Amino acid sequence: MKTSKALLAFCVVLLIIPTLNAQTKKIKRPKSRVGVASVDNFVRESFDLYDKVYKYDGYAASGTPLEDDDIDVLEDALDELSSLSESAPDIIKDLDGVGFMKQSKATLQVNKAKKALKYSIKTTKELLLGQRERESKESEEDHNETDANETQETSNTSTDEKGASENKSQETPSNISDDLEIYSKFDFVPGDKLIYFDDFSQDFIGDFPSKWNTNGTGEIVTVGSVEGKWFELKGGYGIKFIPLLSQALPEEYTIEFDILAIVDNRTSSTARLNITLDDNDTFKDGKNRASSELPLGQFGAFDIRVYNRVNGETIINSGINTDLRTAILNKPHISIAVNKRRYRLWVNQKKYIDIPQFIAPNKVLSTIKFNLLGMRDGTDRLFISNLKVAEGGVDLRRKLMAEGRISTNGILFDSGSANIQPRSLGIVRQISQVLMQDQNIKLNIIGHTDSDGSDDVNLKLSKERADAVKEALVNLYNISKDRLTTEGKGETQPVGDNNTTDGKAQNRRVEFVKI
């Protein structure tokens, strides 16, 4: 037995040494307990095994041979991992009847633990068989998705916006994270002229938001450790939630928002979030409208519904087969682009709807309406935040080529940091296309912030954000760094009123200037 194990270890070394590479980025263990014994034990045991496997994977990555005792440990770990993984469904059942805050936190931690288990089982098998593959696409995407959930879990929520902004200086800037690569072909480009923005930072907890209207009810809340304020929509027959835009929707525009859903396997198949563009600005349905409905149920894969009305007649009424269950549970970002009659919708980086003749021709759809359907009262809950509406229609590539300068607030960063949000890469991709088309073009990238926080902090942050955009162009699109310079202006050149939410959103921007 010892001889065979020694031979196996020798084979492991031979197969690993030729392909040494950096080890996969480590998943961080949750810092706090949930308070549900079965969940806390499951998370702790999962990460104890994960840490053990990760250590041996590190040995292999560095070329250190696995010895007989190491193989014994990995064989035992594989048995424990398989048993623990099989218990995961029972852990989820233990959340029934648990309070909302605990349920939200527990779901995030269990999902993270399951990702750690998936990595551990796959890695252990590969190490034992001598077939370990470095930095596979699958493992990278798993770890990146886990990092996104970790950010959601560990973010600190504060109703004191000014206090939160002062923490900008406490965060360490970092380069472009690996998860941006899966967004590098993401083709959504937000509109360049802001029409409406609401993150509810100016509203009080418990109030209905001041920039919305409804014929029902809803309120502003904070949700556990999830960052920011959220608007909780309350479902009911015919109840609509309407953001109060300052103008009618133009021919070309984009809509973006985040949703947070608390749903489970008993949530109805009819549970949906309806988003409607309508020519009637009241709570009644207009004769011209375009609707999409995102399924929220978890016990099956339900389709996305799309339907419209043109002069009172239904032209399109269909269902798009898909499975949004995992996305719905992980605070997805929804993006919608309307280009005259064309209608597109993305959930995170994936496009699900692209209908070229969906919007009624020669009609003004003036109003956005949200409607929550099929939710269990007091059990299923849905929240929305960071709603942004912006006029589009300007091709940033052509404008940069023609005018030599563009400014955009469509490149978004994590609050108080220089980490680019992956959904912003549609704009960075357009900039890269200009640079690839004309190899003689050089650009200066200029970062700007709003006025939250001190002058020195904002000046430093704006420079770091410009550097992050440069890194994205270099690392994701292979643009030579010698063609790019950066600077930061902080809050010194505002284009909007820093006393309003809309104004702050306009001031948080990035400029590209030909040099």
Side-chain angles (χ1 to χ4, degrees), residues 376-388:
R376 294 173 295 168
D377 186 35
T379 302
D380 298 327
R381 305 176 73 178
L382 187 123
F383 313 82
I384 189 171
S385 192
N386 300 314
L387 175 64
K388 176 183 175 182

Side-chain angles (χ1 to χ4, degrees), residues 183-248:
Y183 283 80
S184 62
K185 294 184 179 179
F186 179 37
D187 59 351
F188 172 78
V189 176
D192 55 287
K193 181 181 179 182
L194 188 67
I195 295 174
Y196 178 97
F197 178 77
D198 202 357
D199 61 0
F200 312 113
S201 59
Q202 304 299 310
D203 293 303
F204 292 102
I205 302 298
D207 283 357
F208 189 86
S210 58
K211 295 168 65 175
W212 290 66
N213 194 15
T214 186
N215 56 345
T217 187
E219 64 178 335
I220 300 299
V221 300
T222 54
V223 184
S225 59
V226 181
E227 183 180 3
K229 294 179 181 179
W230 293 80
F231 176 25
E232 181 172 10
L233 309 183
K234 303 287 188 178
Y237 176 75
I239 292 179
K240 309 285 177 59
F241 300 90
I242 302 176
L244 300 175
L245 308 184
S246 59
Q247 65 178 73

Side-chain angles (χ1 to χ4, degrees), residues 369-439:
K369 300 177 181 179
F370 293 88
N371 183 18
L372 195 56
L373 309 169
M375 302 284 274
R376 294 173 295 168
D377 186 35
T379 302
D380 298 327
R381 305 176 73 178
L382 187 123
F383 313 82
I384 189 171
S385 192
N386 300 314
L387 175 64
K388 176 183 175 182
V389 184
E391 185 173 355
V394 176
D395 188 319
L396 296 181
R397 294 168 295 187
R398 290 188 176 89
K399 186 173 182 179
L400 179 57
M401 294 288 285
E403 301 179 14
R405 183 187 197 108
I406 60 169
S407 176
T408 176
N409 52 33
I411 300 179
L412 305 178
F413 302 85
D414 291 341
S415 178
S417 84
N419 295 322
I420 297 178
Q421 295 182 9
R423 60 179 180 264
S424 304
L425 287 186
I427 292 177
V428 181
R429 184 175 180 231
Q430 281 199 352
I431 300 301
S432 74
Q433 291 169 341
V434 173
L435 292 165
M436 286 186 281
Q437 178 176 313
D438 187 341
Q439 297 293 325

Side-chain angles (χ1 to χ4, degrees), residues 270-432:
T270 64
R272 295 173 175 273
L273 174 63
N274 176 289
I275 308 110
T276 293
L277 310 176
D278 203 320
D279 67 355
N280 188 325
D281 62 3
T282 73
F283 299 113
K284 295 181 179 180
D285 292 333
K287 290 184 177 181
N288 296 282
R289 60 184 187 272
S291 299
S292 55
E293 290 184 356
L294 302 180
L296 305 174
Q298 293 293 304
F299 70 83
F302 306 113
D303 59 9
I304 298 175
R305 283 198 61 207
V306 290
Y307 51 95
N308 67 356
R309 301 276 281 181
V310 177
N311 294 323
E313 180 183 357
T314 298
I315 305 299
I316 293 175
N317 186 1
S318 56
I320 299 171
N321 294 330
T322 189
D323 188 348
L324 291 181
R325 285 176 290 181
T326 299
I328 290 297
L329 290 176
N330 288 279
K331 202 180 76 170
H333 183 75
I334 312 301
S335 308
I336 297 170
V338 174
N339 302 96
K340 297 183 178 178
R341 300 198 63 194
R342 186 184 183 188
Y343 180 95
R344 290 173 291 166
L345 182 145
W346 293 258
V347 178
N348 294 325
Q349 81 278 13
K350 186 172 181 180
K351 182 167 60 180
Y352 287 93
I353 301 174
D354 192 344
I355 304 177
Q357 303 288 314
F358 193 54
I359 306 299
N362 304 314
K363 303 295 181 183
V364 176
L365 302 186
S366 60
T367 305
I368 304 169
K369 300 177 181 179
F370 293 88
N371 183 18
L372 195 56
L373 309 169
M375 302 284 274
R376 294 173 295 168
D377 186 35
T379 302
D380 298 327
R381 305 176 73 178
L382 187 123
F383 313 82
I384 189 171
S385 192
N386 300 314
L387 175 64
K388 176 183 175 182
V389 184
E391 185 173 355
V394 176
D395 188 319
L396 296 181
R397 294 168 295 187
R398 290 188 176 89
K399 186 173 182 179
L400 179 57
M401 294 288 285
E403 301 179 14
R405 183 187 197 108
I406 60 169
S407 176
T408 176
N409 52 33
I411 300 179
L412 305 178
F413 302 85
D414 291 341
S415 178
S417 84
N419 295 322
I420 297 178
Q421 295 182 9
R423 60 179 180 264
S424 304
L425 287 186
I427 292 177
V428 181
R429 184 175 180 231
Q430 281 199 352
I431 300 301
S432 74

